[in-house]
mmCIF file of all heavy atoms in Angstrom:
data_model
loop_
_atom_site.group_PDB
_atom_site.id
_atom_site.type_symbol
_atom_site.label_atom_id
_atom_site.label_comp_id
_atom_site.label_asym_id
_atom_site.label_seq_id
_atom_site.Cartn_x
_atom_site.Cartn_y
_atom_site.Cartn_z
ATOM 1 N N ALA J 197 101.507 53.219 122.530
ATOM 2 C CA ALA J 197 101.356 54.613 122.224
ATOM 3 C C ALA J 197 101.841 55.580 123.307
ATOM 4 O O ALA J 197 102.281 56.652 123.011
ATOM 5 C CB ALA J 197 99.747 54.884 122.062
ATOM 6 N N LEU J 198 101.922 55.068 124.593
ATOM 7 C CA LEU J 198 102.425 55.896 125.665
ATOM 8 C C LEU J 198 103.849 55.712 125.978
ATOM 9 O O LEU J 198 104.382 56.253 126.902
ATOM 10 C CB LEU J 198 101.559 55.585 126.873
ATOM 11 C CG LEU J 198 100.048 55.980 126.891
ATOM 12 C CD1 LEU J 198 99.247 55.328 127.978
ATOM 13 C CD2 LEU J 198 99.956 57.433 126.954
ATOM 14 N N GLY J 199 104.487 54.960 125.120
ATOM 15 C CA GLY J 199 105.948 54.661 125.280
ATOM 16 C C GLY J 199 106.319 53.409 125.995
ATOM 17 O O GLY J 199 107.501 53.284 126.355
ATOM 18 N N GLY J 200 105.358 52.628 126.317
ATOM 19 C CA GLY J 200 105.539 51.284 126.948
ATOM 20 C C GLY J 200 106.008 50.190 126.053
ATOM 21 O O GLY J 200 106.164 50.532 124.863
ATOM 22 N N CYS J 201 106.099 49.018 126.501
ATOM 23 C CA CYS J 201 106.453 47.858 125.678
ATOM 24 C C CYS J 201 105.431 46.780 126.031
ATOM 25 O O CYS J 201 104.830 46.746 126.972
ATOM 26 C CB CYS J 201 107.886 47.372 125.815
ATOM 27 S SG CYS J 201 108.190 46.706 127.472
ATOM 28 N N ALA J 202 105.360 45.761 125.100
ATOM 29 C CA ALA J 202 104.483 44.699 125.250
ATOM 30 C C ALA J 202 105.244 43.325 125.093
ATOM 31 O O ALA J 202 106.016 43.150 124.167
ATOM 32 C CB ALA J 202 103.370 44.661 124.187
ATOM 33 N N LEU J 203 105.084 42.491 126.052
ATOM 34 C CA LEU J 203 105.626 41.117 126.066
ATOM 35 C C LEU J 203 104.572 40.122 125.673
ATOM 36 O O LEU J 203 103.699 39.867 126.529
ATOM 37 C CB LEU J 203 106.285 40.802 127.441
ATOM 38 C CG LEU J 203 107.790 41.180 127.663
ATOM 39 C CD1 LEU J 203 107.961 42.672 127.432
ATOM 40 C CD2 LEU J 203 108.260 40.714 128.988
ATOM 41 N N ARG J 204 104.662 39.542 124.520
ATOM 42 C CA ARG J 204 103.700 38.578 124.085
ATOM 43 C C ARG J 204 104.182 37.212 124.571
ATOM 44 O O ARG J 204 105.136 36.616 124.127
ATOM 45 C CB ARG J 204 103.610 38.531 122.596
ATOM 46 C CG ARG J 204 103.016 39.800 122.044
ATOM 47 C CD ARG J 204 103.174 39.903 120.515
ATOM 48 N NE ARG J 204 102.492 41.130 119.988
ATOM 49 C CZ ARG J 204 102.593 41.574 118.748
ATOM 50 N NH1 ARG J 204 103.462 40.979 117.880
ATOM 51 N NH2 ARG J 204 102.010 42.707 118.392
ATOM 52 N N LEU J 205 103.449 36.724 125.623
ATOM 53 C CA LEU J 205 103.876 35.619 126.308
ATOM 54 C C LEU J 205 103.200 34.226 125.705
ATOM 55 O O LEU J 205 102.017 34.252 125.283
ATOM 56 C CB LEU J 205 103.514 35.624 127.749
ATOM 57 C CG LEU J 205 103.989 36.941 128.558
ATOM 58 C CD1 LEU J 205 103.461 36.812 129.966
ATOM 59 C CD2 LEU J 205 105.514 36.893 128.563
ATOM 60 N N ALA J 206 104.012 33.211 125.695
ATOM 61 C CA ALA J 206 103.468 31.904 125.309
ATOM 62 C C ALA J 206 102.592 31.367 126.435
ATOM 63 O O ALA J 206 102.339 32.040 127.402
ATOM 64 C CB ALA J 206 104.650 30.972 124.974
ATOM 65 N N GLY J 207 102.024 30.188 126.215
ATOM 66 C CA GLY J 207 101.167 29.540 127.197
ATOM 67 C C GLY J 207 101.846 29.311 128.510
ATOM 68 O O GLY J 207 102.902 28.608 128.527
ATOM 69 N N LEU J 208 101.356 29.831 129.615
ATOM 70 C CA LEU J 208 101.997 29.815 130.899
ATOM 71 C C LEU J 208 101.683 28.610 131.644
ATOM 72 O O LEU J 208 100.560 27.991 131.572
ATOM 73 C CB LEU J 208 101.617 31.014 131.747
ATOM 74 C CG LEU J 208 102.103 32.384 131.043
ATOM 75 C CD1 LEU J 208 101.474 33.537 131.893
ATOM 76 C CD2 LEU J 208 103.557 32.508 130.895
ATOM 77 N N TYR J 209 102.670 28.065 132.476
ATOM 78 C CA TYR J 209 102.448 26.927 133.292
ATOM 79 C C TYR J 209 103.322 26.898 134.566
ATOM 80 O O TYR J 209 104.313 27.551 134.600
ATOM 81 C CB TYR J 209 102.747 25.594 132.408
ATOM 82 C CG TYR J 209 104.230 25.390 132.171
ATOM 83 C CD1 TYR J 209 104.996 24.663 133.075
ATOM 84 C CD2 TYR J 209 104.806 25.899 131.050
ATOM 85 C CE1 TYR J 209 106.419 24.503 132.862
ATOM 86 C CE2 TYR J 209 106.211 25.715 130.768
ATOM 87 C CZ TYR J 209 106.952 25.077 131.702
ATOM 88 O OH TYR J 209 108.251 24.873 131.480
ATOM 89 N N THR J 210 102.829 26.143 135.540
ATOM 90 C CA THR J 210 103.630 25.713 136.640
ATOM 91 C C THR J 210 103.419 24.235 136.728
ATOM 92 O O THR J 210 102.636 23.640 135.929
ATOM 93 C CB THR J 210 103.232 26.384 137.976
ATOM 94 O OG1 THR J 210 101.907 25.982 138.260
ATOM 95 C CG2 THR J 210 103.330 27.875 137.839
ATOM 96 N N LEU J 211 103.887 23.522 137.797
ATOM 97 C CA LEU J 211 103.626 22.142 137.955
ATOM 98 C C LEU J 211 102.135 21.855 138.117
ATOM 99 O O LEU J 211 101.578 20.934 137.582
ATOM 100 C CB LEU J 211 104.384 21.587 139.223
ATOM 101 C CG LEU J 211 104.178 20.059 139.493
ATOM 102 C CD1 LEU J 211 104.681 19.248 138.310
ATOM 103 C CD2 LEU J 211 104.920 19.704 140.767
ATOM 104 N N GLU J 212 101.406 22.792 138.811
ATOM 105 C CA GLU J 212 99.991 22.610 139.102
ATOM 106 C C GLU J 212 99.076 23.345 138.186
ATOM 107 O O GLU J 212 97.819 23.073 138.199
ATOM 108 C CB GLU J 212 99.662 23.067 140.493
ATOM 109 C CG GLU J 212 100.411 22.348 141.648
ATOM 110 C CD GLU J 212 101.819 22.828 141.855
ATOM 111 O OE1 GLU J 212 102.185 23.943 141.266
ATOM 112 O OE2 GLU J 212 102.553 22.231 142.586
ATOM 113 N N ARG J 213 99.588 24.222 137.303
ATOM 114 C CA ARG J 213 98.740 25.030 136.413
ATOM 115 C C ARG J 213 99.124 24.917 134.965
ATOM 116 O O ARG J 213 100.317 24.797 134.634
ATOM 117 C CB ARG J 213 98.761 26.500 136.839
ATOM 118 C CG ARG J 213 98.154 26.853 138.233
ATOM 119 C CD ARG J 213 98.477 28.219 138.618
ATOM 120 N NE ARG J 213 97.720 29.158 137.762
ATOM 121 C CZ ARG J 213 96.561 29.754 137.997
ATOM 122 N NH1 ARG J 213 95.957 29.528 139.180
ATOM 123 N NH2 ARG J 213 96.080 30.551 137.152
ATOM 124 N N GLY J 214 98.156 24.914 134.090
ATOM 125 C CA GLY J 214 98.434 24.880 132.649
ATOM 126 C C GLY J 214 97.714 23.810 131.925
ATOM 127 O O GLY J 214 96.866 23.041 132.513
ATOM 128 N N ALA J 215 97.906 23.704 130.611
ATOM 129 C CA ALA J 215 97.201 22.681 129.790
ATOM 130 C C ALA J 215 97.349 21.273 130.253
ATOM 131 O O ALA J 215 96.393 20.578 130.247
ATOM 132 C CB ALA J 215 97.681 22.871 128.351
ATOM 133 N N HIS J 216 98.515 20.945 130.710
ATOM 134 C CA HIS J 216 98.795 19.580 131.136
ATOM 135 C C HIS J 216 97.926 19.151 132.308
ATOM 136 O O HIS J 216 97.356 18.070 132.363
ATOM 137 C CB HIS J 216 100.227 19.407 131.561
ATOM 138 C CG HIS J 216 100.627 20.155 132.648
ATOM 139 N ND1 HIS J 216 100.748 21.568 132.575
ATOM 140 C CD2 HIS J 216 100.947 19.925 133.968
ATOM 141 C CE1 HIS J 216 101.149 22.045 133.788
ATOM 142 N NE2 HIS J 216 101.259 21.035 134.657
ATOM 143 N N ASN J 217 97.740 20.117 133.252
ATOM 144 C CA ASN J 217 96.929 19.833 134.440
ATOM 145 C C ASN J 217 95.501 19.558 134.039
ATOM 146 O O ASN J 217 94.830 18.672 134.505
ATOM 147 C CB ASN J 217 97.088 21.007 135.367
ATOM 148 C CG ASN J 217 96.210 20.838 136.638
ATOM 149 O OD1 ASN J 217 95.060 21.182 136.597
ATOM 150 N ND2 ASN J 217 96.867 20.381 137.759
ATOM 151 N N TYR J 218 94.962 20.502 133.222
ATOM 152 C CA TYR J 218 93.536 20.416 132.775
ATOM 153 C C TYR J 218 93.303 19.175 131.953
ATOM 154 O O TYR J 218 92.314 18.464 132.225
ATOM 155 C CB TYR J 218 93.227 21.755 132.107
ATOM 156 C CG TYR J 218 91.705 21.829 131.770
ATOM 157 C CD1 TYR J 218 90.793 22.169 132.754
ATOM 158 C CD2 TYR J 218 91.252 21.534 130.477
ATOM 159 C CE1 TYR J 218 89.454 22.194 132.447
ATOM 160 C CE2 TYR J 218 89.891 21.646 130.161
ATOM 161 C CZ TYR J 218 88.999 21.989 131.145
ATOM 162 O OH TYR J 218 87.671 22.057 130.840
ATOM 163 N N TRP J 219 94.166 18.946 130.940
ATOM 164 C CA TRP J 219 93.936 17.873 130.112
ATOM 165 C C TRP J 219 94.019 16.481 130.749
ATOM 166 O O TRP J 219 93.211 15.559 130.628
ATOM 167 C CB TRP J 219 94.882 17.864 128.893
ATOM 168 C CG TRP J 219 94.616 18.937 127.910
ATOM 169 C CD1 TRP J 219 93.404 19.647 127.817
ATOM 170 C CD2 TRP J 219 95.497 19.542 126.914
ATOM 171 N NE1 TRP J 219 93.540 20.644 126.900
ATOM 172 C CE2 TRP J 219 94.724 20.535 126.295
ATOM 173 C CE3 TRP J 219 96.847 19.282 126.611
ATOM 174 C CZ2 TRP J 219 95.354 21.233 125.270
ATOM 175 C CZ3 TRP J 219 97.407 20.001 125.623
ATOM 176 C CH2 TRP J 219 96.604 21.029 124.891
ATOM 177 N N LEU J 220 95.054 16.355 131.585
ATOM 178 C CA LEU J 220 95.214 15.052 132.273
ATOM 179 C C LEU J 220 94.165 14.751 133.336
ATOM 180 O O LEU J 220 93.770 13.631 133.537
ATOM 181 C CB LEU J 220 96.683 14.985 132.851
ATOM 182 C CG LEU J 220 97.804 14.842 131.766
ATOM 183 C CD1 LEU J 220 99.154 14.954 132.538
ATOM 184 C CD2 LEU J 220 97.620 13.668 130.895
#
Side-chain angles (χ1 to χ4, degrees):
L198 293 166
C201 68
L203 270 58
R204 294 169 175 169
L205 305 179
L208 299 174
Y209 70 89
T210 64
L211 182 61
E212 297 82 11
R213 295 172 64 96
H216 64 289
N217 177 278
Y218 187 75
W219 288 342
L220 292 175

